[in-house]
Amino acid sequence: MNNEQLIAFRRELHRHPEPAFAEVGTAARVEASLVGLPVTVISGVAASDLSRVINLPTKDTLATWADLAVESGVRPERAAYFRDNGTALIVDLAGDRAGPTWGLRVDMDALPMLESSALGHYPADEGFNSAVAAMHACGHDVHTTVGVGLLHRLSDRGFAGSLRVLFQPAEEGVRGAQTMIDARALDGIDHMLAIHVAGGMPFGEVVGSFTGGMATRKLLVNFSGRASHAAGMPEAGRNALIAASTGAIGIMGIPRFSTADTRVNVGTLIAGDGVNIVPAAATMTCEARATDDEVVEEVTARIREIVAGASLAQGVEHDVAIMGQSATISPDEEMIDLLVNAFSKHPKVGKVHRTQTFAGSDDANLMIRHVQLHGGIGAYLMVGASSPGPHHSATFDADERTIPLAVDVLETLLREHP
């Protein structure tokens, strides 16, 4: 693919976004874009182990997104395959001589929100904005395109070692990386990279690697009580809503830590059947974040204790499950050196930051850490994208020049590494 074709591919992904674990059309488009290349494509259970995932999309939800993919031009048999077997893809490309195994994580999912259709929003003006209840408001369409572009660029195999591109589902909610780790997709990787566009940074400005970030745990809490008539026999009921509400207030009251920057949030609480019924069930989602991995475990433990106490007080049962998670990141200086050197050789790269502190959470950190714990090195590079709106907003967009720039830099990195 040349640069114009890559931009067209990105626009096709942007026009047809799909949420976490439902990236049916996206996976099919990636697969189709690699036909004829000297690559090995791995999918299904060998790419992603979904057995431990909490709250996967329902069969009806997956069917809806698969139908939309077919309507948009995806072959029905491939849409059915990714609907039924998961959307993760592993793509391996061997170089022409011995060397390290490189890994590159690119995420594919979109956010469940509506995109702006206002005059002046570039995708709308150019006719490739989303018309469904999802939007690429964090640049994952760009990341996926960079992964495809790098595979095409290196298809002459003129580099040392091998490249494994991991097309990951469900980064939003930090749910997808662990499924690929559990499928052993990260085993054997020596050098691990992830890439992200930075909407608030101008095009041409780059970062060798994120540092820090926030470890997080996303929790699903279910409360099970007993229904009863709220007037006729309230004492016979066991109020799951009150337990959940008490728990929510307790969670938001967890003290901050002096040793780390911490966050807690209760995001949703759903309960009850009617105004005159003691609520028998409640479901709550909440999260803990911290700039220290041990502290986030401590905050999570306190959430569990609060939920248990609130449940005991109301005589209800409860269970707590981890829906998603990520870790902090400590990139390797050797990898940052390689990236800064590759950036310095690109004529359209202006300002180069060696590192920049990351304020959010991303489960690519789990992949990088997995490789580091097995003797490898890793980093998380960032490229400026000059977005007119912030990440996760209806007006987010990425300067499309970031695509060839990122592909060029990664190509230089792999071709020049001994």
Side-chain angles (χ1 to χ4, degrees):
M1 285 185 175
N2 58 33
N3 291 343
E4 290 74 20
Q5 290 169 322
L6 287 175
I7 289 172
F9 183 77
R10 178 259 170 164
R11 292 185 179 190
E12 185 72 1
L13 297 183
H14 192 93
R15 186 182 291 113
H16 303 293
E18 298 158 312
F21 291 120
E23 309 92 338
V24 172
T26 304
R29 287 182 168 90
V30 169
E31 182 185 60
S33 74
L34 304 175
V35 172
L37 298 187
V39 298
T40 300
V41 180
I42 302 168
S43 59
V45 295
S48 177
D49 181 354
L50 302 176
S51 62
R52 296 196 296 163
V53 176
I54 303 298
N55 274 10
L56 280 169
T58 65
K59 288 184 177 181
D60 287 345
T61 297
L62 288 171
T64 296
W65 287 104
D67 289 344
L68 286 171
V70 172
E71 290 174 14
S72 70
V74 170
R75 289 164 49 202
E77 64 272 20
R78 299 316 295 159
Y81 174 83
F82 289 113
R83 178 197 66 203
D84 296 340
N85 295 282
T87 55
L89 292 168
I90 300 168
V91 184
D92 290 331
L93 173 62
D96 61 5
R97 57 193 184 277
T101 297
W102 292 82
L104 174 66
R105 194 295 299 267
V106 293
D107 38 15
M108 301 187 295
D109 57 322
L111 286 150
M113 58 185 292
L114 294 173
E115 182 169 10
S116 173
S117 58
L119 185 67
H121 180 55
Y122 186 73
D125 291 347
E126 296 297 316
F128 66 93
N129 62 311
S130 169
V132 298
M135 176 193 173
H136 276 296
C138 204
H140 297 187
D141 52 335
V142 173
H143 307 160
T144 299
T145 303
V146 169
V148 168
L150 184 61
L151 289 162
H152 276 264
R153 194 74 66 81
L154 293 174
S155 61
D156 64 356
R157 303 178 57 226
F159 66 100
S162 61
L163 170 65
R164 168 164 282 196
V165 181
L166 300 111
F167 293 91
Q168 180 200 312
E171 186 282 324
E172 303 296 351
V174 290
R175 303 172 71 198
Q178 190 63 52
T179 71
M180 300 191 80
I181 294 169
D182 290 346
R184 306 183 68 89
L186 280 294
D187 292 7
I189 293 176
D190 303 302
H191 297 346
M192 185 65 206
L193 297 171
I195 185 170
H196 211 292
V197 296
M201 183 178 289
F203 171 75
E205 196 166 331
V206 295
V207 178
S209 183
F210 287 132
T211 61
M214 282 193 154
T216 186
R217 302 292 181 269
K218 314 295 187 187
L219 307 174
L220 174 67
V221 187
N222 289 308
F223 298 85
S224 301
R226 182 191 306 150
S228 183
H229 195 291
M233 194 174 287
E235 73 279 7
R238 297 293 180 267
N239 199 311
L241 172 56
I242 298 302
S245 301
T246 303
I249 293 170
I251 289 166
M252 295 306 297
I254 291 174
R256 305 303 176 253
F257 281 64
S258 61
T259 57
D261 190 8
T262 57
R263 303 279 192 280
V264 294
N265 188 55
V266 176
T268 63
L269 199 165
I270 302 170
D273 298 303
V275 68
N276 60 346
I277 305 170
V278 175
T283 298
M284 179 172 69
T285 61
C286 58
E287 66 173 4
R289 300 189 196 224
T291 53
D292 181 279
D293 293 279
E294 293 184 2
V295 170
V296 82
E297 289 291 354
E298 172 64 19
V299 175
T300 302
R302 294 192 184 195
I303 289 174
R304 291 180 182 275
E305 291 170 353
I306 288 167
V307 167
S311 299
L312 180 63
Q314 295 298 324
V316 307
E317 303 294 324
H318 74 278
D319 63 80
V320 181
I322 302 291
M323 292 191 300
Q325 60 183 319
S326 74
T328 59
I329 179 173
S330 298
D332 295 282
E333 295 297 325
E334 178 185 347
M335 182 63 82
I336 298 172
D337 288 340
L338 294 172
L339 285 163
V340 169
N341 178 63
F343 279 134
S344 70
K345 297 180 179 181
H346 197 288
K348 292 187 177 179
V349 169
K351 191 172 185 179
V352 179
H353 304 271
R354 183 173 178 83
T355 61
Q356 186 172 101
T357 302
F358 181 42
S361 303
D362 193 309
D363 59 1
N365 296 354
L366 295 175
M367 293 184 168
I368 293 168
R369 175 170 293 192
H370 180 90
V371 169
Q372 290 172 324
L373 290 173
H374 290 81
I377 59 176
Y380 196 148
L381 66 146
M382 180 167 63
V383 290
S386 302
S387 175
H391 287 260
H392 295 209
S393 78
T395 56
F396 178 87
D397 187 33
D399 189 322
E400 292 175 327
R401 293 177 294 171
T402 59
I403 296 168
L405 186 153
V407 174
D408 288 348
V409 167
L410 291 168
E411 179 189 11
T412 297
L413 182 66
L414 267 72
R415 289 198 190 278
E416 294 190 358
H417 192 277

